[in-house]
Amino acid sequence: MDKLWRYFAVTCLAFGIVGIYVLAAFNLKVFNPVAEILEDYSFTDFYYKLLDTGERETSRIVTIVDMTELRKRRDFAQLFMEVDALHPKAVGVDVVFEGYKEEDLEGDTLLANTVKQLHNFVFSYKIIDAESMEGETVHSFFTPSDSVNEGFTNMPRQLYGGMKRAVSVGRELGGKVVPSFIKKVVDLYAEQEVVPLSDKNININFSPKEYHIVPYDSILENRDWIEDHLVLIGAMTEEGDMHYTPQGKIAGVELLAYAAETMLRQSEIKHASTGVTLVASFIIVFLSVILLSYYKSFTTKKKTLFRVIFGASLIRGLLIAGWLSLMVWITFILFCSYNYSISLALAMSAIALIYMAENLYDVIKTLSVFNKEKKNES
């Protein structure tokens, strides 16, 4: 019973020390850079690195048309007609055509007339103040129009972090929930509502994938990648539309491709709740304390050459590394099989501080015994 109490106490002390470090990281200015990194980190990033073996599967659903070099609106009209002629199931245009161009009103007219004839296209608009339910919106010059299908492309992100991990299904705007760009494109492709409209976000599955990139001037040569596909038209190399994701810095249209694939396959990443993470972390650290205790007992109980060598700090470090690797692989298998992510960051931090927690426990116990003896003497 005394041993179990010691294991429990050391585990609690390890978490307590982690808590002190976390409070320091988020409240002391000297630790601000560390706090921002921790706030923007997710354990799923590590899983994606394990999945990225170099050979990526090419999506059979989504094709990207790169229009980075297009500038004239008459050329966009031509591009839309060429894509539409190859009968894609759904097309999403990640471009907002703001205002009329005085120097090319004929091009504006041609583009507006072309858009009105497209029935399986979804165009994008932006919400200026994405955090406000009354946020101002920016649309293309040819909207609002009943014949133009459009959705907002704003992606949720942390207030101070630039990492994009989720896609909106809808957003409350002007007293009603409006659908996102991706929801509209996905529903159009599936010919049914894939995810019910609501003001919520879905965690994007960034499992490594390649998307076929079709240059804007090679549409007809890539018929097989357009016909019956979900086509996203956007800029692949425009620096102003690049975003940080678990897959590194990628184009906004590629980010939308990952989001569309996630929604269509219903492969959203589900993160363990805080309660589940705390319980799992406590169990892992508790077992680690027991393991290290038996290891210490084995190496100090009887002095032999083997036990002395086995008790070296290097072997202890390898033992901890092997134990952590086992935990990582168990959670990684869970992630691959069920798209369920349990973060081991808290458990790993506490395990790293077990030795310190053991020393602290021994000090507290020694002081307690000393105080009792002193009281008995008096």
Side-chain angles (χ1 to χ4, degrees):
M1 192 65 183
D2 289 341
K3 281 187 175 181
L4 283 176
W5 167 249
R6 176 185 171 84
Y7 301 150
F8 179 81
V10 170
T11 301
C12 291
L13 286 171
F15 280 109
I17 297 169
V18 171
I20 292 171
Y21 278 118
V22 170
L23 286 173
F26 284 92
N27 289 283
L28 298 179
K29 288 184 177 180
V30 68
F31 290 117
N32 276 355
V34 177
E36 287 188 19
I37 292 171
L38 291 174
E39 194 174 9
D40 213 29
Y41 174 77
S42 172
F43 213 80
T44 53
D45 299 349
F46 177 67
Y47 296 144
Y48 292 133
K49 293 296 181 185
L50 291 178
L51 284 170
D52 199 354
T53 57
E55 294 183 6
R56 297 187 174 192
E57 176 192 1
T58 301
S59 173
R60 298 180 181 181
I61 297 174
V62 182
T63 296
I64 296 174
V65 173
D66 182 16
M67 39 60 62
T68 307
E69 297 179 9
L70 279 185
R71 292 292 180 268
K72 295 181 179 180
R73 289 181 174 175
R74 63 180 66 243
D75 293 334
F76 277 102
Q78 179 65 30
L79 171 63
F80 295 162
M81 287 189 289
E82 287 182 3
V83 171
D84 187 54
L86 298 183
H87 307 295
K89 291 189 72 173
V91 181
V93 182
D94 184 28
V95 185
V96 179
F97 300 93
E98 292 185 51
Y100 290 93
K101 287 193 173 182
E102 296 293 336
E103 68 279 11
D104 189 19
L105 291 177
E106 186 178 337
D108 288 342
T109 302
L110 179 61
L111 178 59
N113 289 335
T114 300
V115 167
K116 290 177 182 178
Q117 301 173 35
L118 305 172
H119 303 294
N120 61 340
F121 275 58
V122 178
F123 291 86
S124 61
Y125 70 88
K126 302 285 185 183
I127 303 174
I128 299 300
D129 184 3
E131 302 302 319
S132 171
M133 290 187 294
E134 300 297 331
E136 181 184 348
T137 57
V138 176
H139 301 257
S140 293
F141 72 93
F142 46 74
T143 60
S145 170
D146 293 337
S147 62
V148 177
N149 197 5
E150 59 174 357
F152 67 86
T153 51
N154 299 72
M155 305 284 279
R157 66 179 177 88
Q158 293 182 1
L159 184 59
Y160 299 109
M163 189 74 78
K164 303 289 180 67
R165 302 182 187 277
V167 60
S168 296
V169 175
R171 183 76 58 84
E172 187 174 344
L173 194 67
K176 67 176 182 178
V177 178
V178 295
S180 68
F181 172 82
I182 282 299
K183 173 176 168 50
K184 283 207 164 190
V185 174
V186 165
D187 288 351
L188 188 61
Y189 176 85
E191 298 180 344
Q192 63 179 357
E193 187 175 57
V194 176
V195 178
L197 177 61
S198 61
D199 187 354
K200 73 169 187 177
N201 300 327
I202 287 179
N203 296 313
I204 301 173
N205 190 326
F206 282 101
S207 296
K209 193 175 291 293
E210 289 286 346
Y211 292 98
H212 195 81
I213 312 299
V214 177
Y216 74 92
D217 56 355
S218 303
I219 301 301
L220 297 179
E221 293 88 334
N222 290 274
R223 172 184 291 272
D224 292 342
W225 289 102
I226 302 291
E227 189 174 7
D228 292 328
H229 281 66
L230 189 160
V231 178
L232 293 174
I233 300 175
M236 281 296 295
T237 57
E238 192 169 299
E239 185 60 32
D241 192 29
M242 304 296 284
H243 306 272
Y244 288 101
T245 73
Q247 285 298 336
K249 194 175 182 182
I250 64 175
V253 67
E254 188 175 359
L255 174 58
L256 293 173
Y258 273 106
E261 194 110 18
T262 299
M263 200 174 287
L264 273 169
R265 294 182 181 275
Q266 298 189 15
S267 57
E268 174 192 3
I269 298 301
K270 301 173 184 66
H271 292 282
S273 65
T274 302
V276 171
T277 302
L278 289 174
V279 171
S281 298
F282 188 89
I283 292 172
I284 291 170
V285 177
F286 185 74
L287 292 175
S288 302
V289 171
I290 295 174
L291 176 66
L292 290 174
S293 177
Y294 276 99
Y295 165 78
K296 184 178 181 181
S297 176
F298 174 79
T299 56
T300 57
K301 191 173 183 180
K302 187 178 180 182
K303 291 293 181 182
T304 65
L305 179 61
F306 171 75
R307 291 179 186 242
V308 170
I309 295 173
F310 195 67
S313 57
L314 174 62
I315 303 299
R316 176 189 167 101
L318 291 174
L319 178 67
I320 294 174
W323 170 248
L324 287 176
S325 297
L326 176 62
M327 293 299 103
V328 168
W329 277 106
I330 290 173
T331 54
F332 179 61
I333 291 170
L334 190 64
F335 178 79
C336 294
S337 302
Y338 302 102
N339 297 318
Y340 189 76
S341 174
I342 298 179
S343 175
L344 293 178
L346 179 60
M348 286 183 166
S349 300
I351 289 171
L353 297 169
I354 286 177
Y355 184 71
M356 186 184 296
E358 287 177 332
N359 289 339
L360 183 58
Y361 175 82
D362 290 337
V363 169
I364 294 172
K365 189 175 181 180
T366 301
L367 288 174
S368 177
V369 172
F370 177 77
N371 287 332
K372 283 182 181 180
E373 290 176 350
K374 195 171 182 181
K375 283 183 180 180
N376 291 334
E377 289 176 0
S378 60

